[in-house]
Amino acid sequence: QVQLVESGGGLVQIGDSLRLSCAASGRTFSNYGMGWFRQAPGKERAFVAAISASGRRTYYTDSVKDRFTISRDNAKNTVFLQINSLKLEDTAVYFCASRTSPLNSAYGRRSEYNNWGQGTQVTVSS
């Protein structure tokens, strides 16, 4: 029911910055907890960041906390992931996900999200 479309990925160099966007359909975006996950080659899809429906609370996996920032613009039905100081290990397909209810303490689990976008590829080169 909820459609999510990621954009903003691309081929970048170590140390570059990117801003990923996730556009959501519907009029109830402001009620959704949102998350970003990534899947590197040969790896499982892993939690990156999450944001509450209001945007007042944000959560990050420890490895990205100082470099990544999740934010949202509810008026535009969009969530963002600002990525700074890109590293080779950031190479992955980045997925946006929504939970059509408020986030709970399990925000880092894939199973807690109802809808997923198609992903946007981020490739970091040296």
Side-chain angles (χ1 to χ4, degrees):
Q1 297 182 159
V2 177
Q3 297 184 60
L4 304 173
V5 180
E6 302 96 333
S7 62
L11 177 62
V12 295
Q13 294 183 319
I14 293 173
D16 283 356
S17 296
L18 275 178
R19 188 184 72 169
L20 307 183
S21 298
C22 173
S25 65
R27 301 178 182 178
T28 58
F29 178 75
S30 61
N31 299 125
Y32 302 164
M34 302 292 296
W36 284 97
F37 289 72
R38 65 185 180 184
Q39 187 164 14
K43 302 293 185 180
E44 294 292 320
R45 194 171 301 184
F47 171 74
V48 175
I51 188 166
S52 63
S54 68
R56 293 180 62 251
R57 292 174 291 150
T58 58
Y59 309 91
Y60 301 90
T61 191
D62 287 343
S63 63
V64 309
K65 186 175 180 63
D66 295 331
R67 298 187 296 117
F68 289 26
T69 302
I70 188 170
S71 61
R72 65 192 298 160
D73 185 341
N74 286 347
K76 297 182 178 180
N77 281 12
T78 304
V79 63
F80 304 96
L81 185 68
Q82 177 69 41
I83 308 174
N84 295 328
S85 302
L86 278 154
K87 302 177 179 180
L88 287 176
E89 52 263 44
D90 294 321
T91 294
V93 178
Y94 284 72
F95 296 90
C96 178
S98 67
R99 175 179 168 86
T100 53
S101 59
L103 292 178
N104 58 26
S105 60
Y107 55 81
R109 298 181 180 179
R110 291 172 290 172
S111 61
E112 294 298 308
Y113 295 85
N114 307 111
N115 299 281
W116 295 82
Q118 83 290 344
T120 185
Q121 176 72 49
V122 173
T123 302
V124 185
S125 64
S126 61

